[in-house]
Each structure stands twice: as C-alpha cells, then as structure tokens.
Amino acid sequence: MQQLDYRRSIQVAQDFLTQCFAPGEFIALLLRRENPAGVTQRVVQLERAVAPRYLGWLAHENAAGANIYVAANPLRSRTRKRTKESVAAVRHLYLDIDTDGDARLAALQNSDKVPKPTAIISTSLHKYQVLWRVAGFDFESQESTLKLLALAFGGDPACTDCNRVLRVPGFLNLKYDPAQLVAIQYPDGHTSNARDFRLDLPASDATISKRHIPPRAHPSKQSNSELDWAWVLHELACGNDPVKLTSELASRRSDKSSPLYYAQRTVDVASARLWLIEGIRLDDVVTMLEVRRRFELPGSICSARAHEIALTAQRMIARTKTA
C-alpha cells in the first residue's frame, strides 16, 4: 500500500477546501470504509475542517482504511444531513470521467463549449473529477447542466445531483491495490456562469448519421413546411448550430404569423426526434430542450414546452415504425 505523506496530504487538502468554500460555510465530509464496510459523515464549519489538527485526523483515518470525500456544495447551518434540501447554495458544477479518461478530458479541455475548469482531480490512473466554480445557478439549472456535461463529454450520468461528493485531493484512493494518491491541478481561477456553458447537443461530437433521415418519394409534392422539415433535419444531422438554424428559418418564413415560434418549434422537434433515434433518454431530451431555450423563454413555459415537444417527437417515431 502506498504510504501517505502526512504533511503534504494536509497541505493539499487544506488548499483545496479553502479554494472551494468560503469562510463560515458548513461542509460535509464523508469517511467511507470498505472493510469493514461503514460510513461516517461530519458536517463542520470550514474553519474547523481546514485546521491542521482536524486534517491530521482525516489523514490518520485515511491511512487506517477510510476514503475521504467532501460534498461539492455547502450545506445549511445546523443541518446534519447531506440531502438535497440541506444544500445551501450551488457552488460547483462537476463531471466524473471514469472511462477513456485521458481522451475525454482532452476533448473537454479543447472544447469551446465550456469554460476552463477550476480544478481537475485525478482520482486514480486515467480517472478524473472535473470541477467548475460557478455563480448564478439554482438547483434545477445546476442538475440540467450536469446532465448535459455528462452527455457531451462522456461522464458518469449518475453523478448529476446537487449533493454529490468528491474525493479530497491529498489523500489516498483506497479502492485500488496499491492505493492511488488523489492529485489535483488548478487550470483556472475564474468563477463561471450559465452563459459560459454552451452545451447544445448534438454539437459535442454527437453528430447524427444522415441515414436517419428518410428519403421522400415525391419531393415535388412537398409543401413549404415539409421542405423546411427536411432541410432542418439535414442541417442538424450535419452538426450545424441549431440556434443559427432557428434564426435562418425564421427569416425564410416571414409569411408565417409568428416566424420565430415556427422556427423554434421546427428545429426543436427535429432535434428531439434525432436525439431519441440515437438512443438518448426522453428525460435527457427534455433537459436539452430546456437548456437550449432557457434564455429565450420564461422558465415555466420552457419546461412545459420541452416536455410537449419531446413527447411529440416520440409519437412521430412510433408512427414511423408502425407505418
């Protein structure tokens, strides 16, 4: 088993917790043992958690067989539970990359769809937890963005709840033999907001095959709306930007009573249809539609509209299969 350098471990963990949380905030620390199985959770104020004596105790517990985790978001004062209702504020977005880690991390770092991460935690060989410090997110927008991050970059789709825990850098990951030291790097110190995450699929290497677009037997008999539909499907399948498609279609169809509404709906129904055909789950399709239009439509309308469009696309696919 790899030996723990207590002094170095305490310093790395202290730096991480200090950068992640503000003075006076309450954080949840989780100690999980595999043999014998057991979990201990402590909710403490940041100042206590980063004290050398407390971190020394965590290092001792780690060396004795406990994996050390911290909740990604601060908790309300006087709480002792790490439930969603106990979370005080959204402080971070995060992504667990457990498969093809190096390639997927490189794709994320080279993408213009997301800002530079605040921290990249190397939990073991080729496995990472990516962290962004954020402001202006509520719990709903946080979880919808977490889903899109997982879909876009191949992260763990189960790690999308606001009370998720992260491994604390500086300690050992005891899941492996020999144990792996949890390391960290800090690519960027900025705080990001919702507009910095431009996660509109299929723009994230999820280009949809043109074979999913059925040919028309009699193109000369197509109506203008049918021609619009075929054109939008083709453009989306080629990976073109749906926001630009919406704008172009609205300008083409000035004959409509509401060109923008028509264009938004046509593009979104086509997107939902293609996503469902590709095997993306219905609730994830709803999330992607909500995120796409979140700055254009009121929240309550945006959510109901996304559900309706996803179900409409699902019915279209079912009718095609039974035809």
Side-chain angles (χ1 to χ4, degrees), residues 222-237:
Q222 289 178 300
S223 67
N224 287 336
S225 294
E226 288 174 322
L227 290 170
D228 291 339
W229 174 253
W231 174 73
V232 167
L233 280 174
H234 177 270
E235 294 298 305
L236 289 172

Side-chain angles (χ1 to χ4, degrees), residues 22-54:
E25 288 186 328
F26 286 82
I27 64 174
L29 291 159
L30 195 72
L31 290 73
R32 179 177 292 146
R33 295 178 178 273
E34 300 296 334
N35 189 21
V39 176
T40 301
Q41 181 170 278
R42 300 285 178 87
V43 179
V44 297
Q45 212 161 12
L46 176 67
E47 288 80 357
R48 182 182 178 192
V50 299
R53 184 174 180 179
Y54 198 91

Side-chain angles (χ1 to χ4, degrees), residues 147-166:
K147 285 185 178 182
L148 287 181
L149 283 167
L151 286 166
F153 299 107
D156 185 348
C159 300
T160 56
D161 44 4
C162 64
N163 56 342
R164 177 63 48 180
V165 295
L166 310 165

Side-chain angles (χ1 to χ4, degrees), residues 24 28 37 46 65 71 91 94 109 111 126 157 165 173 179 202 205 240 245-246 273:
L46 176 67
R91 180 60 48 76
Y94 34 86
Q109 291 177 302
S111 174
H126 311 306
V165 295
N173 180 348
D205 297 327
N240 291 326
L245 288 179
T246 301
R273 179 180 180 275

